[in-house]
């Protein structure tokens, strides 16, 4: 909400010395988010005067149309002679009143006006447009043409109110009343302790039976509808300068007098209005829910198909407006048009004014459903004062009579659904207990009355919030009002005292260790949003029946392109890798730990828990039952160089083995034994994919995959060539953990090393052979390492040789050659039994 300070002063007698910064500080202290104070007219100095165009000479010897004008500026130029000015604009004619910047003036942007020769003529000044003066768009896209009654030589800066301060307020959803001058003025009056001149206090005629006919069939969606009629409008009437300038300062573009007045009253009182051309409305105006499939063309020219949940305004033909959002084109106020033959000006001369109160939730859903956010819908979503509708309609009628020469018809229509006043019961010391400050009953009552509440009672207060504050529904809401008006800065600063002996859980410690160990291995953490599009599963090459394709969809997503919760961390990480690669960083190693979401087997609706007692275990279980499963995963992606080249060596690129090693690193940190074997799944290259498994409760379980991505996936996602990735179920690793990771015991006895080369079939995984050797070697085996893989004619077709280095050590003695050899032979025997391995050369 943009609030001109000059406008605000009409409702509150702010101190004459108070600047925009002073008012900003006061409003911030009262709880409003005043983001900035804009200085209008900064850098603008005169002379800037009203002039009248006397003559226009068209210069045709140039590439673009140029006009040489003489302009009467009175005595402002010191001579009284006409001012000669070159101008390229075409939207003014001889006799028009315009704004002239004389030599010596400085316009916004440090644009200095001086006499200079251009296009072969001497130009002594400039005829100004709104943009050049920093006024904003006035709809003309050209020179400012002033009303003919303006006096020549008048100071145009004062006439156009070019100097002002504008407060830019970010209105939170619970403070919808501040989307109006009336609401902000009320806050300023309270902050300064000054009286408020409420612009809604108007004499409004009582409703009668001969107003424009209105029928409301959905009182839950529209509990108040006021209609007034004004006839005899002058189609040639234009919005006065003061009205246009206030709209511009508030960030709105002037359009036509009738529309400008409705916008002005909306800004002033916070009540959205709509004006219908009465000659284009057929029959009774109605308010109802739309029929599925009904259509309407809104004022923005878009034809929209309506939903059964949309609240619409109708006449005998059907919908003529989306209630509270935007009117329809069929009843739009017509622009004035001059008949070229008769010179008669035609336009709207009779209007019906609508001032209604609509259900906030219904308007919000309609606006989002049609992707149509308007000034009206923004206000209705946040709550509009239903009692202001009649005053807003009266204010609009008054302005139309005053500025457009209209006549208000005596008929007044007001349809009101009966409702009881809202009351909130609250102990008088409730704000004291919330804030930890002893305010006292008198202060609590006074502050609540300042915001418009009626308060009764002594120890227990019965509070009736004002109609413009629908957010005051609970005792804590009232306590917040007292606290903010007394000053948040006056609250004591008390740090909570945490109970001793509590720290991170074992799960939290594991997540931190995993992050630290991956960072230590050279990976950079890249957290991503948990939202994905379902098309990404096609790009990842997942099978049609893959469980990861079952997603939890959001009803109201941040982006329609990503409406689903992720089932894998890879889309976000690969997107981050792609962005960084596209911006010139080609050597990348990223990781993320985060939740993924799998829908529950049976869908359901969460129950509402009681607030007067602690929920039972059964109630909490019913609440959690519909929630999706949310395991925590860890994933890494790599591309480019894993080790940089330099004087120390040639470096090397990252490959599938680095992704597998990242999985082993995470498993070691979790204290789980990771089973690594050849696999094939979704986005990974079938020949360079490792399947990762652990044993949980005696059963082997696949917990992830690692390796190089498939070339088709790389191409579909626009990734660097040979990109590798790994993803693991971290929760499953935790369940497979043998407990806390124990520090290694360092033996003082020497190691005994035995090398063994085994020949196996080519399709036997080396990891399976290594596991067999480890199991067969027994407790004396300290480490096993595969150091050579050989295939050739000496081995035989379809076979390969695997060479392992076995390290044996005892904690209490030096091993003999016989003991080490026996352990090696036992390891070879188990490998031979399980994998068919034979000693090379045997």
């Amino acid at each position: 909400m943009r609030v001109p300070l000059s406008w605000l002063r009409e409702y509150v007698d702010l101190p004459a010395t108070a600047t925009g910064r002073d008012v900003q500080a006061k409003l911030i202290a009262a709880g409003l988010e005043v983001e900035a104070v804009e200085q209008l007219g900064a850098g603008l100095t005169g002379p800037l005067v009203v002039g009248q165009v006397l003559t226009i000479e068209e210069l045709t010897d140039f590439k673009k149309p140029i006009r040489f004008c003489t302009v009467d500026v009175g005595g402002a130029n010191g001579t009284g002679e006409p001012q000669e000015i070159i101008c390229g604009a075409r939207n003014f004619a001889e006799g028009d009143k315009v704004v002239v910047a004389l030599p010596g003036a400085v316009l916004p942007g440090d644009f200095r006006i001086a006499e200079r020769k251009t296009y072969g003529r001497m130009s002594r000044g400039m005829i100004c447009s709104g943009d050049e003066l920093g006024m904003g768009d006035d709809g003309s896209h050209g020179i400012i043409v002033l009303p003919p009654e303006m006096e020549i030589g008048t100071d145009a800066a004062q006439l156009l109110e070019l100097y002002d301060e504008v407060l830019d307020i970010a209105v939170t959803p619970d403070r919808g009343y501040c989307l109006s001058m009336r609401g902000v003025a009320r806050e300023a009056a309270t902050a300064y302790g000054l009286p408020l001149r409420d612009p809604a206090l108007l004499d409004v005629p009582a409703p009668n039976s001969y107003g424009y006919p209105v029928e409301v069939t959905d009182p839950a969606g529209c509990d108040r509808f006021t209609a007034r009629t004004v006839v005899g409008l002058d189609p040639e009437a234009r919005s006065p300068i003061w009205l246009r300038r206030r709209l511009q300062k508030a960030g709105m573009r002037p359009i036509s007098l009738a529309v400008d007045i409705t916008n002005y009253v909306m800004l002033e009182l916070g009540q959205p209005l709509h004006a219908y051309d009465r000659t284009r409305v057929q029959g009774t105006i109605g308010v109802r829910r739309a029929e599925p499939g009904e259509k309407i063309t809104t004022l923005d020219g878009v034809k929209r198909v309506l939903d059964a949940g949309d609240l619409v305004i109708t006449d005998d033909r059907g919908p003529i407006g989306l209630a509270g959002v935007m009117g329809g084109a069929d009843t739009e106020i017509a622009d004035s048009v001059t008949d070229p033959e008769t010179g008669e000006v035609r336009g709207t001369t009779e209007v019906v004014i609508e001032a209604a109160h609509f259900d906030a939730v219904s308007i919000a859903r309609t606006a989002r459903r049609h992707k149509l956010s308007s000034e009206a819908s923004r206000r209705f979503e946040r709550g509009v004062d239903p009692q202001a509708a009649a005053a807003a309609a009266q204010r609009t009628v008054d302005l139309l009579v005053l500025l457009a020469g209209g006549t208000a018809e005596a008929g007044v229509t007001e349809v009101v659904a009966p409702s009881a006043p809202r009351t909130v019961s609250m102990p008088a010391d409730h704000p004291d207990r919330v804030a930890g400050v002893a305010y006292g009953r008198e202060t609590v009552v006074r502050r609540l009355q300042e915001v418009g509440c009626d308060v009764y009672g002594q120890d227990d207060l019965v509070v009736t919030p004002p109609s413009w504050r629908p957010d005051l529904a609970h005792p804590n809401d009232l306590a917040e009002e007292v606290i903010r008006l007394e000053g948040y800065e006056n609250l004591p600063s008390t740090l909570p005292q945490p109970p001793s002996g509590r720290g991170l859980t074992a799960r939290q410690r594991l997540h931190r260790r995993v992050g630290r160990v991956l960072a230590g291995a050279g990976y950079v953490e890249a957290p991503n949003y948990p939202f994905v599009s379902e098309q990404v599963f096609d790009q990842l090459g997942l099978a049609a029946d893959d469980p990861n394709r079952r997603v939890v969809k959001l009803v109201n997503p941040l982006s329609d392109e990503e409406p689903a919760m992720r089932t894998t961390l890879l889309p976000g990480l690969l997107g981050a890798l792609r962005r960084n690669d596209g911006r010139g960083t080609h050597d990348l190693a990223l990781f993320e730990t985060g939740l993924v979401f799998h829908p529950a087997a049976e869908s359901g609706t969460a129950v509402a828990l009681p607030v007067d007692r602690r929920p039972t275990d059964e109630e909490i279980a019913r609440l959690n039952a519909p929630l999706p499963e949310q395991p925590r995963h860890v994933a890494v992606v790599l591309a480019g160089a894993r080790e940089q080249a330099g004087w120390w060596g040639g470096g090397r690129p990252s490959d599938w083995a680095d992704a597998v090693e990242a999985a082993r690193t995470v498993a070691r940190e979790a204290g789980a034994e990771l089973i690594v074997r050849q696999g094939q799944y979704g986005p990974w290259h079938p020949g360079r994919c490792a399947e990762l498994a652990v044993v949980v409760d005696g059963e082997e379980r696949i917990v992830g995959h690692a390796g190089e991505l498939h070339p088709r996936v790389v191409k579909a996602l626009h990734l660097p060539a040979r990109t590798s990735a790994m993803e693991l179920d971290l929760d499953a690793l935790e369940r497979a953990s043998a407990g806390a990771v124990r520090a290694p015991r360092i033996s003082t006895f020497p190691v005994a090393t035995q090398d063994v080369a085994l020949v196996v079939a080519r399709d036997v995984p080396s990891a399976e052979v290594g596991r067999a050797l480890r199991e067969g070697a027994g407790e004396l085996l300290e480490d096993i390492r595969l150091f050579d893989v050989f295939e050739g004619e000496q081995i035989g077709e379809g076979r390969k040789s695997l060479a392992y280095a076995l390290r044996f050590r005892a904690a209490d003695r030096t091993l003999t050659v016989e003991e080490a050899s026996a352990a090696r032979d036992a390891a070879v025997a188990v490998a031979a039994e399980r994998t068919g391995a034979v000693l090379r050369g045997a």
Side-chain angles (χ1 to χ4, degrees):
M1 177 70 185
R2 290 171 54 85
V3 178
L5 191 58
S6 60
W7 195 356
L8 185 64
R9 289 182 183 275
E10 286 197 3
Y11 312 119
V12 184
D13 290 326
L14 299 173
T17 57
T19 65
R21 297 290 182 189
D22 298 332
V23 179
Q24 177 188 31
K26 284 284 190 179
L27 292 179
I28 288 176
L32 287 184
E33 297 181 19
V34 185
E35 295 186 330
V37 178
E38 182 180 346
Q39 302 290 334
L40 299 185
L44 173 67
T45 59
L48 195 70
V49 300
V50 175
Q52 183 174 25
V53 180
L54 300 178
T55 64
I56 298 176
E57 180 184 349
E58 302 288 347
L59 305 182
T60 59
D61 297 335
F62 305 97
K63 292 182 179 179
K64 61 179 182 179
I66 297 296
R67 311 170 98 184
F68 178 68
C69 308
T70 59
V71 184
D72 181 8
V73 294
N77 58 3
T79 65
E81 296 295 325
Q83 203 78 3
E84 298 174 339
I85 300 174
I86 291 288
C87 185
R90 316 293 298 175
N91 69 311
F92 65 96
E94 293 180 357
D96 283 345
K97 300 286 182 67
V98 294
V99 178
V100 179
L102 296 175
V106 180
L107 302 187
D110 197 27
F111 182 50
R112 299 179 179 274
I113 306 301
E115 294 186 4
R116 64 190 183 98
K117 191 171 184 179
T118 179
Y119 296 101
R121 302 291 182 96
M122 183 63 71
S123 181
R124 296 179 172 85
M126 186 172 78
I127 302 176
C128 301
S129 68
D131 286 336
E132 290 163 341
L133 297 179
M135 295 170 55
D137 181 18
D138 62 357
S140 67
H141 304 290
I143 294 302
I144 301 172
V145 178
L146 299 173
E149 63 269 17
M150 295 295 103
E151 185 178 347
I152 297 172
T154 303
D155 184 353
Q158 182 178 357
L159 176 68
L160 298 176
E161 303 176 13
L162 297 182
Y163 300 106
D164 203 350
E165 293 181 280
V166 178
L167 308 177
D168 192 352
I169 302 177
V171 180
T172 53
D174 62 328
R175 308 288 287 277
Y177 65 98
C178 285
L179 285 171
S180 68
M181 294 299 303
R182 180 193 185 201
V184 176
R186 179 174 285 107
E187 290 296 315
T190 303
Y192 276 95
L194 296 171
L196 169 71
R197 287 188 290 273
D198 191 345
L201 295 180
L202 301 174
D203 291 330
V204 179
N208 49 53
S209 60
Y210 42 91
Y212 197 93
V214 174
E215 181 180 4
V216 178
T217 59
D218 190 339
C222 175
D223 58 6
R224 184 180 293 265
F225 195 107
T226 300
R228 299 289 299 276
T229 305
V230 181
V231 298
L233 300 178
D234 180 3
E236 293 187 88
R238 298 291 180 266
S239 300
I241 291 176
W242 66 265
L243 178 57
R244 297 204 304 268
R245 287 298 293 135
R246 286 192 172 179
L247 291 177
Q248 288 175 322
K249 291 177 185 179
M252 302 187 75
R253 180 172 64 87
I255 298 173
S256 65
L257 179 56
V259 176
D260 291 349
I261 287 174
T262 58
N263 286 335
Y264 177 82
V265 175
M266 177 183 68
L267 292 173
E268 184 178 50
L269 302 181
Q271 169 67 54
L273 301 110
H274 189 70
Y276 301 93
D277 187 327
R278 189 169 78 162
T279 62
R280 305 173 71 179
V281 179
Q282 298 182 12
T284 301
I285 292 178
V287 183
R288 61 170 172 83
R289 298 288 172 173
E291 298 292 337
E294 278 189 308
K295 297 179 180 179
I296 183 176
T297 301
T298 46
L299 289 174
D300 56 359
V302 177
K303 191 172 186 179
R304 304 179 186 277
V305 179
L306 301 178
D307 184 88
D310 293 334
L311 194 66
V312 293
I313 310 298
T314 65
D315 65 3
D316 291 350
R317 297 166 297 179
I320 59 173
L322 275 175
V325 180
M326 185 174 286
D330 289 343
T331 56
E332 181 180 7
I333 300 295
D335 294 331
S336 59
V337 178
T338 302
D339 190 315
E341 296 181 358
T342 64
E344 180 186 358
V345 178
R346 299 174 182 173
T348 297
T349 59
E350 301 179 4
V351 297
V352 177
I353 305 300
E354 166 209 305
H357 183 261
F358 301 110
D359 175 59
V361 174
S362 176
I363 300 306
R365 288 175 176 170
T366 297
R368 283 157 179 74
R369 189 181 296 120
H370 294 282
K371 299 181 178 60
L372 186 60
S373 179
S374 64
E375 292 289 341
S377 67
R378 286 181 61 219
R379 285 164 173 79
F380 279 121
E381 288 175 21
R382 290 162 173 79
V384 168
D385 181 4
Q387 301 294 335
Q394 182 63 44
R395 177 71 164 141
T396 305
V397 168
D398 292 343
L399 288 173
L400 285 172
V401 170
L402 175 67
L403 302 177
T407 301
E409 289 195 347
V412 178
T413 302
E414 190 164 4
V415 179
V416 180
S419 61
R422 298 177 298 113
T423 60
V424 181
S425 297
M426 179 186 73
D429 63 346
H430 182 68
D432 301 14
R433 289 186 281 112
V434 171
V437 177
Y439 293 123
R441 179 188 178 280
E442 290 185 3
T443 299
V444 171
V445 171
R446 174 171 56 85
R447 288 302 190 183
L448 291 178
Q449 289 174 340
E450 285 179 356
V451 299
C453 296
D454 291 330
V455 186
Y456 301 96
Q458 292 298 320
D459 294 336
D460 291 319
L461 303 179
V462 177
V463 182
T464 303
S467 57
W468 59 84
R469 293 299 301 272
D471 58 304
L472 302 182
H474 304 285
N476 283 340
D477 300 329
L478 302 176
E480 181 183 0
E481 293 299 299
V482 175
I483 294 168
R484 76 175 178 89
L485 294 177
E486 284 295 306
Y488 291 120
E489 69 277 6
N490 297 323
L491 294 178
S493 178
T494 305
L495 295 177
Q497 297 295 327
S500 60
R502 295 185 182 181
L504 299 177
T505 65
R507 187 180 189 217
Q508 291 169 329
R509 290 195 295 271
L510 171 61
H511 297 164
R512 291 197 176 187
R513 292 203 312 273
V514 167
R516 282 195 294 265
V517 74
L518 287 176
Y523 291 87
V524 176
E525 187 171 15
N528 294 283
Y529 285 116
F531 313 117
V532 296
S533 67
E534 294 183 87
Q535 288 73 22
V536 76
F537 300 128
D538 297 328
Q539 296 172 321
L540 291 176
L542 300 188
D545 59 348
D546 193 293
N548 279 340
R549 283 186 176 269
R550 295 186 63 242
V551 296
V552 177
K553 288 188 178 180
L554 300 176
V555 175
N556 186 23
L558 291 178
S559 169
D560 290 336
E561 296 179 357
E562 295 180 331
M565 303 294 287
R566 66 188 178 191
T567 56
T568 167
L569 301 181
L570 290 184
L573 270 182
L574 293 174
L577 184 140
R578 178 179 62 249
R579 285 192 300 274
N580 282 274
D581 180 73
R583 294 171 183 175
T585 303
H586 305 300
D587 304 324
L588 294 160
L590 308 178
F591 84 93
E592 179 181 8
T593 60
L595 300 179
V596 298
F597 306 86
H598 299 281
E602 296 183 2
S603 60
T605 303
V607 298
L609 295 181
V611 295
D612 58 341
R613 58 177 173 80
R614 185 189 184 281
T616 64
D617 293 341
E618 292 77 12
E619 289 171 332
I620 295 176
R622 289 201 302 272
L623 176 69
N624 291 331
L627 296 178
E629 297 179 15
Q630 303 175 51
R632 184 173 291 271
H633 282 201
V634 58
V636 305
V637 294
L638 306 100
R642 185 66 177 133
E643 295 177 3
Q644 296 291 337
W647 57 265
W648 54 84
R652 69 173 183 84
S654 61
D655 60 16
W656 63 269
D658 293 302
V660 175
E661 182 57 28
R664 288 197 175 102
T665 300
V666 172
R668 283 195 297 270
E669 198 63 33
E673 183 177 351
L674 192 66
I675 302 170
V676 182
R677 54 175 174 251
Q678 185 175 3
Q680 182 174 347
Y681 175 71
W684 281 276
H685 193 297
R688 297 169 187 160
C689 173
E691 185 178 83
L692 311 173
V694 294
V695 176
V696 180
D697 298 330
E699 295 184 4
E700 186 175 290
R701 175 179 170 182
I702 298 173
V703 293
H705 295 82
E708 182 181 317
L709 296 182
H710 197 288
R712 286 198 297 268
V713 174
V714 170
K715 182 178 179 181
L717 295 176
H718 308 288
L719 302 172
R722 310 299 290 271
T723 297
S724 300
M726 177 277 293
E727 184 167 10
L728 276 173
D729 185 337
L730 197 53
D731 287 352
L733 275 184
E734 183 184 5
R735 290 193 291 273
S737 170
V741 179
R742 295 187 177 184
R745 297 182 62 183
I746 307 300
S747 174
T748 59
F749 295 95
V751 67
T753 302
Q754 297 275 350
D755 294 344
V756 58
L758 302 176
V759 178
V760 296
R762 182 181 295 169
D763 60 353
V764 175
S766 60
E768 186 176 341
V769 177
R771 281 197 300 273
L773 290 172
R774 183 182 295 277
E775 185 174 334
E779 295 181 355
L780 294 179
L781 181 67
E782 182 181 78
D783 185 49
I784 180 172
R785 180 173 62 88
L786 174 67
F787 66 86
D788 184 57
V789 179
F790 177 75
E791 296 181 15
E793 296 179 358
Q794 302 93 320
I795 305 302
E797 186 175 354
R799 301 181 71 77
K800 62 183 177 182
S801 171
L802 305 175
Y804 293 89
L806 308 178
R807 291 166 55 90
F808 299 98
R809 195 193 314 252
D812 56 351
R813 68 187 187 282
T814 299
L815 293 178
T816 65
V817 175
E818 290 77 13
E819 287 178 308
S821 298
R824 179 202 62 191
D825 294 342
V828 171
V830 173
E833 178 184 351
R834 293 190 179 177
T835 66
V838 296
L839 282 171
R840 183 174 174 181

